Amino acid sequence: MDYLVSFLVGGCICALVQIVMDKTKLQPGNVMVGLVCLGAILGFAGIYEPFKEWAKAGATVPLIGFGNTLYQGIAADISGKGFIGLFTGGLTAAAAGISGALILGYLVSLLYNPKMK
């Protein structure tokens, strides 16, 4: 059942984002930044954590989950390190995901020889 809920929630999030991108004149980068900010705002408001518990990976995989991860890291580091946590918390919390994306992106580019258009 967890797989089904995750699939449906993640699919709904992606479908809604695709509708926003198709029906507005917003650039994809603006929409993506908006999603990260929305995740951080929902985390700050206390809404995202119960949603994440219910939706599992369907809520953590999209960019909204990345924004919430950044917020959680910043909140934890501010309480532990003070003001400097504002600068260190987000990157510390998201380091594994960022590193994985960079490393795997590089490896895939070696395999498929990308060309600029």
PDB file of all heavy atoms in Angstrom, residues 9-23 31 35 64:
ATOM      1  N   VAL A   9       0.894   9.977  -4.988  1.00  0.00           N
ATOM      2  CA  VAL A   9       1.211  11.329  -4.500  1.00  0.00           C
ATOM      3  C   VAL A   9       2.299  11.958  -5.355  1.00  0.00           C
ATOM      4  O   VAL A   9       2.180  13.109  -5.784  1.00  0.00           O
ATOM      5  CB  VAL A   9       1.616  11.301  -3.011  1.00  0.00           C
ATOM      6  CG1 VAL A   9       2.165  12.639  -2.572  1.00  0.00           C
ATOM      7  CG2 VAL A   9       0.426  10.914  -2.148  1.00  0.00           C
ATOM      8  N   GLY A  10       3.381  11.224  -5.608  1.00  0.00           N
ATOM      9  CA  GLY A  10       4.446  11.755  -6.455  1.00  0.00           C
ATOM     10  C   GLY A  10       3.951  12.082  -7.849  1.00  0.00           C
ATOM     11  O   GLY A  10       4.298  13.114  -8.426  1.00  0.00           O
ATOM     12  N   GLY A  11       3.112  11.220  -8.399  1.00  0.00           N
ATOM     13  CA  GLY A  11       2.543  11.466  -9.719  1.00  0.00           C
ATOM     14  C   GLY A  11       1.646  12.687  -9.742  1.00  0.00           C
ATOM     15  O   GLY A  11       1.668  13.473 -10.696  1.00  0.00           O
ATOM     16  N   CYS A  12       0.851  12.862  -8.689  1.00  0.00           N
ATOM     17  CA  CYS A  12      -0.026  14.041  -8.618  1.00  0.00           C
ATOM     18  C   CYS A  12       0.787  15.328  -8.508  1.00  0.00           C
ATOM     19  O   CYS A  12       0.456  16.331  -9.144  1.00  0.00           O
ATOM     20  CB  CYS A  12      -0.988  13.914  -7.442  1.00  0.00           C
ATOM     21  SG  CYS A  12      -2.311  12.735  -7.725  1.00  0.00           S
ATOM     22  N   ILE A  13       1.840  15.298  -7.702  1.00  0.00           N
ATOM     23  CA  ILE A  13       2.695  16.480  -7.587  1.00  0.00           C
ATOM     24  C   ILE A  13       3.298  16.817  -8.952  1.00  0.00           C
ATOM     25  O   ILE A  13       3.260  17.967  -9.393  1.00  0.00           O
ATOM     26  CB  ILE A  13       3.800  16.265  -6.534  1.00  0.00           C
ATOM     27  CG1 ILE A  13       3.192  16.219  -5.127  1.00  0.00           C
ATOM     28  CG2 ILE A  13       4.859  17.370  -6.613  1.00  0.00           C
ATOM     29  CD1 ILE A  13       4.169  15.804  -4.044  1.00  0.00           C
ATOM     30  N   CYS A  14       3.828  15.814  -9.622  1.00  0.00           N
ATOM     31  CA  CYS A  14       4.445  16.050 -10.933  1.00  0.00           C
ATOM     32  C   CYS A  14       3.420  16.509 -11.960  1.00  0.00           C
ATOM     33  O   CYS A  14       3.708  17.384 -12.783  1.00  0.00           O
ATOM     34  CB  CYS A  14       5.152  14.788 -11.408  1.00  0.00           C
ATOM     35  SG  CYS A  14       6.594  14.375 -10.404  1.00  0.00           S
ATOM     36  N   ALA A  15       2.222  15.948 -11.923  1.00  0.00           N
ATOM     37  CA  ALA A  15       1.179  16.352 -12.865  1.00  0.00           C
ATOM     38  C   ALA A  15       0.761  17.802 -12.622  1.00  0.00           C
ATOM     39  O   ALA A  15       0.583  18.573 -13.576  1.00  0.00           O
ATOM     40  CB  ALA A  15      -0.027  15.427 -12.739  1.00  0.00           C
ATOM     41  N   LEU A  16       0.613  18.179 -11.357  1.00  0.00           N
ATOM     42  CA  LEU A  16       0.258  19.573 -11.042  1.00  0.00           C
ATOM     43  C   LEU A  16       1.337  20.543 -11.509  1.00  0.00           C
ATOM     44  O   LEU A  16       1.036  21.610 -12.054  1.00  0.00           O
ATOM     45  CB  LEU A  16       0.001  19.728  -9.545  1.00  0.00           C
ATOM     46  CG  LEU A  16      -1.273  19.091  -9.014  1.00  0.00           C
ATOM     47  CD1 LEU A  16      -1.314  19.154  -7.496  1.00  0.00           C
ATOM     48  CD2 LEU A  16      -2.495  19.755  -9.611  1.00  0.00           C
ATOM     49  N   VAL A  17       2.577  20.174 -11.304  1.00  0.00           N
ATOM     50  CA  VAL A  17       3.679  21.035 -11.745  1.00  0.00           C
ATOM     51  C   VAL A  17       3.688  21.139 -13.265  1.00  0.00           C
ATOM     52  O   VAL A  17       3.899  22.223 -13.813  1.00  0.00           O
ATOM     53  CB  VAL A  17       5.026  20.508 -11.208  1.00  0.00           C
ATOM     54  CG1 VAL A  17       6.192  21.228 -11.849  1.00  0.00           C
ATOM     55  CG2 VAL A  17       5.078  20.647  -9.704  1.00  0.00           C
ATOM     56  N   GLN A  18       3.428  20.039 -13.954  1.00  0.00           N
ATOM     57  CA  GLN A  18       3.391  20.076 -15.418  1.00  0.00           C
ATOM     58  C   GLN A  18       2.256  20.968 -15.910  1.00  0.00           C
ATOM     59  O   GLN A  18       2.418  21.723 -16.871  1.00  0.00           O
ATOM     60  CB  GLN A  18       3.233  18.665 -15.986  1.00  0.00           C
ATOM     61  CG  GLN A  18       3.386  18.609 -17.476  1.00  0.00           C
ATOM     62  CD  GLN A  18       4.780  19.002 -17.931  1.00  0.00           C
ATOM     63  OE1 GLN A  18       5.770  18.502 -17.408  1.00  0.00           O
ATOM     64  NE2 GLN A  18       4.867  19.887 -18.900  1.00  0.00           N
ATOM     65  N   ILE A  19       1.112  20.919 -15.236  1.00  0.00           N
ATOM     66  CA  ILE A  19      -0.006  21.788 -15.599  1.00  0.00           C
ATOM     67  C   ILE A  19       0.376  23.255 -15.405  1.00  0.00           C
ATOM     68  O   ILE A  19       0.091  24.100 -16.257  1.00  0.00           O
ATOM     69  CB  ILE A  19      -1.266  21.418 -14.789  1.00  0.00           C
ATOM     70  CG1 ILE A  19      -1.796  20.069 -15.262  1.00  0.00           C
ATOM     71  CG2 ILE A  19      -2.335  22.496 -14.917  1.00  0.00           C
ATOM     72  CD1 ILE A  19      -2.864  19.469 -14.367  1.00  0.00           C
ATOM     73  N   VAL A  20       1.029  23.565 -14.282  1.00  0.00           N
ATOM     74  CA  VAL A  20       1.470  24.948 -14.034  1.00  0.00           C
ATOM     75  C   VAL A  20       2.428  25.395 -15.132  1.00  0.00           C
ATOM     76  O   VAL A  20       2.318  26.507 -15.652  1.00  0.00           O
ATOM     77  CB  VAL A  20       2.131  25.073 -12.640  1.00  0.00           C
ATOM     78  CG1 VAL A  20       2.861  26.399 -12.484  1.00  0.00           C
ATOM     79  CG2 VAL A  20       1.087  24.913 -11.541  1.00  0.00           C
ATOM     80  N   MET A  21       3.352  24.522 -15.508  1.00  0.00           N
ATOM     81  CA  MET A  21       4.322  24.889 -16.548  1.00  0.00           C
ATOM     82  C   MET A  21       3.654  25.057 -17.911  1.00  0.00           C
ATOM     83  O   MET A  21       4.048  25.920 -18.698  1.00  0.00           O
ATOM     84  CB  MET A  21       5.448  23.851 -16.616  1.00  0.00           C
ATOM     85  CG  MET A  21       6.355  23.937 -15.411  1.00  0.00           C
ATOM     86  SD  MET A  21       7.613  22.647 -15.277  1.00  0.00           S
ATOM     87  CE  MET A  21       8.413  22.696 -16.829  1.00  0.00           C
ATOM     88  N   ASP A  22       2.642  24.259 -18.200  1.00  0.00           N
ATOM     89  CA  ASP A  22       1.948  24.343 -19.493  1.00  0.00           C
ATOM     90  C   ASP A  22       0.993  25.526 -19.578  1.00  0.00           C
ATOM     91  O   ASP A  22       0.830  26.121 -20.641  1.00  0.00           O
ATOM     92  CB  ASP A  22       1.172  23.057 -19.773  1.00  0.00           C
ATOM     93  CG  ASP A  22       2.079  21.883 -20.080  1.00  0.00           C
ATOM     94  OD1 ASP A  22       3.281  22.097 -20.345  1.00  0.00           O
ATOM     95  OD2 ASP A  22       1.582  20.728 -20.040  1.00  0.00           O
ATOM     96  N   LYS A  23       0.341  25.867 -18.493  1.00  0.00           N
ATOM     97  CA  LYS A  23      -0.715  26.876 -18.514  1.00  0.00           C
ATOM     98  C   LYS A  23      -0.242  28.283 -18.159  1.00  0.00           C
ATOM     99  O   LYS A  23      -1.011  29.229 -18.250  1.00  0.00           O
ATOM    100  CB  LYS A  23      -1.847  26.480 -17.548  1.00  0.00           C
ATOM    101  CG  LYS A  23      -2.514  25.177 -17.910  1.00  0.00           C
ATOM    102  CD  LYS A  23      -3.246  25.295 -19.220  1.00  0.00           C
ATOM    103  CE  LYS A  23      -3.962  23.988 -19.562  1.00  0.00           C
ATOM    104  NZ  LYS A  23      -4.535  24.003 -20.876  1.00  0.00           N
ATOM    105  N   VAL A  31       9.759  27.774 -11.889  1.00  0.00           N
ATOM    106  CA  VAL A  31       8.850  26.808 -11.261  1.00  0.00           C
ATOM    107  C   VAL A  31       9.625  25.918 -10.294  1.00  0.00           C
ATOM    108  O   VAL A  31       9.168  25.647  -9.173  1.00  0.00           O
ATOM    109  CB  VAL A  31       8.122  25.971 -12.335  1.00  0.00           C
ATOM    110  CG1 VAL A  31       7.288  24.870 -11.704  1.00  0.00           C
ATOM    111  CG2 VAL A  31       7.267  26.861 -13.210  1.00  0.00           C
ATOM    112  N   LEU A  35       9.140  25.510  -6.267  1.00  0.00           N
ATOM    113  CA  LEU A  35       8.873  24.255  -5.572  1.00  0.00           C
ATOM    114  C   LEU A  35       9.785  24.067  -4.363  1.00  0.00           C
ATOM    115  O   LEU A  35       9.348  23.632  -3.299  1.00  0.00           O
ATOM    116  CB  LEU A  35       9.028  23.076  -6.523  1.00  0.00           C
ATOM    117  CG  LEU A  35       7.961  22.936  -7.589  1.00  0.00           C
ATOM    118  CD1 LEU A  35       8.363  21.886  -8.607  1.00  0.00           C
ATOM    119  CD2 LEU A  35       6.633  22.591  -6.956  1.00  0.00           C
ATOM    120  N   ILE A  64       9.858  19.566  -3.903  1.00  0.00           N
ATOM    121  CA  ILE A  64       9.275  20.071  -2.660  1.00  0.00           C
ATOM    122  C   ILE A  64       9.960  19.404  -1.474  1.00  0.00           C
ATOM    123  O   ILE A  64      10.243  20.038  -0.462  1.00  0.00           O
ATOM    124  CB  ILE A  64       7.753  19.816  -2.640  1.00  0.00           C
ATOM    125  CG1 ILE A  64       7.078  20.572  -3.775  1.00  0.00           C
ATOM    126  CG2 ILE A  64       7.149  20.209  -1.312  1.00  0.00           C
ATOM    127  CD1 ILE A  64       5.618  20.266  -3.937  1.00  0.00           C
TER     128      ILE A  64
END
